[in-house]
Amino acid sequence: FRLQTRRQYFPPQHICRMADKKYLIGGNWKCNGTKESVAELVQTLNNGGDFPANAEVVVAPPFLFIDSVMQTIRPDIAVSTQNIGKNTKTGAFTGEIAAPMAKAFGLNWVITGHSERRSMEGETSAIVAEKSKIALDNGLSVIACCGEQLSDREAGNTLAVVLEDHLQAMVDAFSTEDWARVVIAYEPVWAIGTGVVASPEQAQEVHAAIRKFLSEKVSPEVSAATRVIYGGSVKGSNAGTLKDCPDIDGFLVGGAALTADFLTIINAVA
Ligand code: 13P
């Protein structure tokens, strides 16, 4: 009876979750928006009411809109880039945005290693780790993405890809202290933009494996403190179930982040 009473008030996931560990909800706007639609989206978010105290919210607009979003968005939403240059300095790097430039501009977050950059721009795990490290060295926080293709999953290679390829490169590149500013986003590629969300069991299995990997390769403390967020067809209608998984610490949202449904997702972590 005692155990039951305790469970009732402290479900297992809340016993495990560190008291000051907020859910991170990221909105990756990808390559979407016009001046008008971005202003409208900012307005929608600004009018969205108070966020839960345990939610930290970040949005990543395309570079073109970052300045206007930073100037107009509510102060409890941080702004991130979707990518960052491999160049460590400003200078003759046509088409790139440098990490020190982003930091000086007032940004505190970057997304690295999104599967669309890995597949479209040929970013390898080594490049993703290198970019992430440069961002970290310049005082930025990083949402570093990993995730298997459908063919990897079907071949039984999910953990080999996510842990031994994507995560190992980050573990090799980051110092123990760096991890305080790293969020891992697990985004199975087959779930991105498809409407096929990973089941809570599928997501939890990989999140738990990431947690174990970090514990073994970095430290138990880093493993416990690092937020591992899920991305891939997250909606207001499925966020509530996913957030109850003990190793899911938030979401990286694509399509739904362009609509008022993003507010439902944020409120789902309350
Ligand atoms: P969707 O939410 O549209 O599936 O995209 C997920 C994603 O790629 C976020 O980075």
Side-chain angles (χ1 to χ4, degrees), residues 144-217:
C145 304
C146 60
E148 82 286 2
Q149 307 269 347
L150 181 60
S151 55
D152 299 323
R153 179 164 281 265
E154 286 175 345
N157 291 335
T158 298
L159 296 184
V161 169
V162 171
L163 305 181
E164 289 159 38
D165 179 1
H166 297 178
L167 261 288
Q168 184 66 55
M170 298 176 201
V171 166
D172 290 343
F174 304 165
S175 71
T176 305
E177 298 72 49
D178 284 338
W179 283 94
R181 280 180 290 116
V182 176
V183 173
I184 298 293
Y186 168 58
E187 300 206 305
V189 179
W190 48 270
I192 295 178
T194 58
V196 183
V197 65
S199 68
E201 294 75 21
Q202 284 172 320
Q204 169 57 26
E205 184 189 13
V206 180
H207 282 238
I210 292 171
R211 188 90 59 208
K212 183 160 173 277
F213 187 80
L214 290 179
S215 180
E216 289 166 3
K217 302 281 178 168

Side-chain angles (χ1 to χ4, degrees), residues 61-71 79-81 105 107:
F63 281 119
L64 280 178
F65 301 119
I66 280 184
D67 188 30
S68 69
V69 171
M70 282 175 78
Q71 288 185 39
V79 180
S80 174
T81 67
F105 196 77
L107 287 160

Side-chain angles (χ1 to χ4, degrees), residues 28 30 114 116 187 191-194 231-235 252-256:
N28 176 7
K30 306 193 179 185
H114 192 278
E116 285 147 24
E187 300 206 305
I192 295 178
T194 58
S233 296
V234 175
K235 308 235 172 329
L252 190 55
V253 185

